[in-house]
Amino acid sequence: MDLGSCYLGGNADAVEFCPHRPFRHVLAAATYTLQEQEQDRAGTISLFSVDAGAEDESQRLRLLHTVDTAGVFDMKWSPTSPMLAQADAHGRLALRHLEQDDGSDTGIVFTDVCAEDISSSMCLYVDWNQTAESLSVGLSDGSLSVISVREDRLEISEQWAAHQFEVWTCYFDRTRPHFLYSGADDCCFSCWDLRESPSNIVFQNKKSHNMGVCCFAQNPFEGNMLLTGSYDESLRVWDMRLMAKPVNEKSINLGGGVWRMKYHPNIADVVLAACMHNGFAIVKVGSGDATVMETYCKHDSLAYGADWQKTEEVEQNGNSSVVATCSFYDRLLRVWQPENLAGL
């Protein structure tokens, strides 16, 4: 069921629901727009209020606040506080804190915390470790950066040439935080041990993906299951128990490049995927074959951003799940509820 939609001021490429109370209704949506005349890449981050239960349809998706930025490739909320990390086209990593001035939605604003120039290349992806003490950043020149978060500043603790081409994704293992995964346009799926300096490569898989590796997702209920998404249109399921040589257990073709994947916050084995030219899919990745449960094709352009809302209602009843999705060239943000999660 569709709850609301909005056209953004630029090409839409990322959406992230804040997971922290009292801001779980807040959705961040980012844009990246190439301005050819100025030879620049500009962007915005807009904050929306999402209320699926509002009787007044106009109150289900409301714009709260917008900040102008460099073009945003990726953003992630901290796992410990309402702080958003932004990776941008100017090679900068910025942190912004969500605050509520007067106790109402109209008082919700972003406060700049700190920013750091990471590289002369573009920052393409950002991920937090689970203590929020470190961030990893994938760069357009093939490098990986690990950034330490201090009280009022960011410090580059390590940066190295990890891949031959653009690093589209990097991801801290959620149960073994000293392992960092990376995926890139060179078709490589790699893992790095951060306990050693310089970071030591644990494995590098060059054969399984036919095109660039775009994203990772780790099963929150089974830490040995890792998913990779690729431009080759496949979602692959990996058994990570033997870290030096992970096993590709199964895969499913989703009909479009798998750009983003997010596990459902409460329902085991359910994954939301952004499939570029083929819209969005909700996939069940359980003990049997991976299967598509539902597709959403109401966007007319590249499916890029996707996320689940984390609310008390969803914790009690998964069938009340709310999804935000965005698409690039048509600049469209949509908020909707899946239809096929009943009984899971």
Side-chain angles (χ1 to χ4, degrees):
M1 182 179 78
D2 291 308
L3 298 175
S5 63
C6 177
Y7 287 99
L8 302 177
N11 299 332
D13 61 357
V15 289
E16 296 284 331
F17 275 107
C18 183
H20 303 292
R21 298 182 182 90
F23 301 114
R24 286 180 157 188
H25 64 295
V26 174
L27 171 70
T31 67
Y32 162 92
T33 305
L34 180 62
Q35 298 176 322
E36 294 186 9
Q37 287 186 334
E38 292 86 1
Q39 297 268 304
D40 193 20
R41 297 171 173 87
T44 58
I45 296 179
S46 298
L47 300 178
F48 291 86
S49 170
V50 175
D51 182 1
E55 292 186 8
D56 183 348
E57 291 186 9
S58 67
Q59 298 300 302
R60 293 177 182 173
L61 178 66
R62 291 185 297 113
L63 178 64
L64 302 175
H65 184 67
T66 298
V67 293
D68 293 322
T69 68
V72 179
F73 279 107
D74 192 37
M75 59 182 177
K76 294 289 186 332
W77 293 102
S78 162
T80 62
S81 67
M83 187 181 296
L84 190 72
Q86 163 201 320
D88 72 34
H90 290 178
R92 285 173 70 80
L93 182 64
L95 301 186
R96 291 186 171 88
H97 196 270
L98 197 57
E99 295 185 356
Q100 203 164 16
D101 281 350
D102 59 5
S104 70
D105 278 355
T106 55
I108 288 180
V109 293
F110 261 152
T111 300
D112 291 344
V113 177
C114 57
E116 182 67 32
D117 290 321
I118 305 301
S119 172
S120 58
S121 299
M122 295 183 288
C123 295
L124 302 180
Y125 195 91
V126 62
D127 189 45
W128 295 84
N129 73 353
Q130 290 305 284
T131 61
E133 296 171 342
S134 296
L135 294 143
S136 58
V137 177
L139 297 167
S140 61
D141 67 356
S143 298
L144 271 174
S145 288
V146 176
I147 316 297
S148 296
V149 181
R150 309 301 184 197
E151 282 189 13
D152 58 350
R153 68 188 191 281
L154 299 170
E155 290 183 357
I156 300 173
S157 59
E158 192 175 354
Q159 189 164 298
W160 68 99
H163 292 269
Q164 292 180 306
F165 303 114
E166 293 92 337
V167 178
W168 294 122
T169 185
C170 49
Y171 191 91
F172 288 102
D173 189 289
R174 298 319 194 226
T175 57
R176 295 156 291 197
H178 52 276
F179 289 133
L180 177 66
Y181 304 112
S182 62
D185 217 42
D186 57 9
C187 308
C188 288
F189 161 32
S190 302
C191 179
W192 309 86
D193 190 337
L194 302 180
R195 292 173 296 186
E196 303 183 29
S197 186
S199 293
N200 184 42
I201 192 159
V202 180
F203 68 79
Q204 186 175 61
N205 181 308
K206 299 180 179 180
K207 297 180 179 179
S208 294
H209 302 86
N210 301 319
M211 297 178 73
V213 181
C214 303
C215 58
F216 297 106
Q218 190 171 11
N219 189 319
F221 304 100
E222 173 46 74
N224 288 317
M225 180 186 288
L226 185 75
L227 310 182
T228 59
S230 170
Y231 282 131
D232 66 15
E233 304 186 351
S234 287
L235 179 160
R236 291 175 174 82
V237 184
W238 298 86
D239 183 340
M240 304 302 296
R241 283 177 293 184
L242 185 60
M243 183 58 76
K245 194 172 182 181
V247 177
N248 185 190
E249 288 191 316
K250 53 196 166 190
S251 64
I252 181 172
N253 187 296
L254 296 181
V258 184
W259 180 249
R260 290 289 180 266
M261 298 180 295
K262 300 283 183 69
Y263 267 98
H264 192 284
N266 301 102
I267 304 176
D269 305 332
V270 173
V271 178
L272 172 66
C275 305
M276 297 185 71
H277 292 284
N278 200 33
F280 298 87
I282 295 176
V283 185
K284 186 168 179 57
V285 187
S287 56
D289 291 338
T291 57
V292 174
M293 302 173 62
E294 187 171 341
T295 58
Y296 186 82
C297 298
K298 295 185 178 181
H299 290 262
D300 295 324
S301 180
L302 291 172
Y304 267 177
D307 199 18
W308 304 94
Q309 189 176 24
K310 296 89 177 168
T311 65
E312 286 74 12
E313 291 80 9
V314 173
E315 290 172 358
Q316 296 163 8
N317 176 16
N319 202 36
S320 65
S321 298
V322 174
V323 168
T325 50
C326 71
S327 45
F328 195 66
Y329 292 112
D330 60 0
R331 305 183 170 193
L332 183 59
L333 166 69
R334 286 188 175 274
V335 178
W336 49 281
Q337 288 185 295
E339 298 175 354
N340 296 335
L341 298 183
L344 293 179

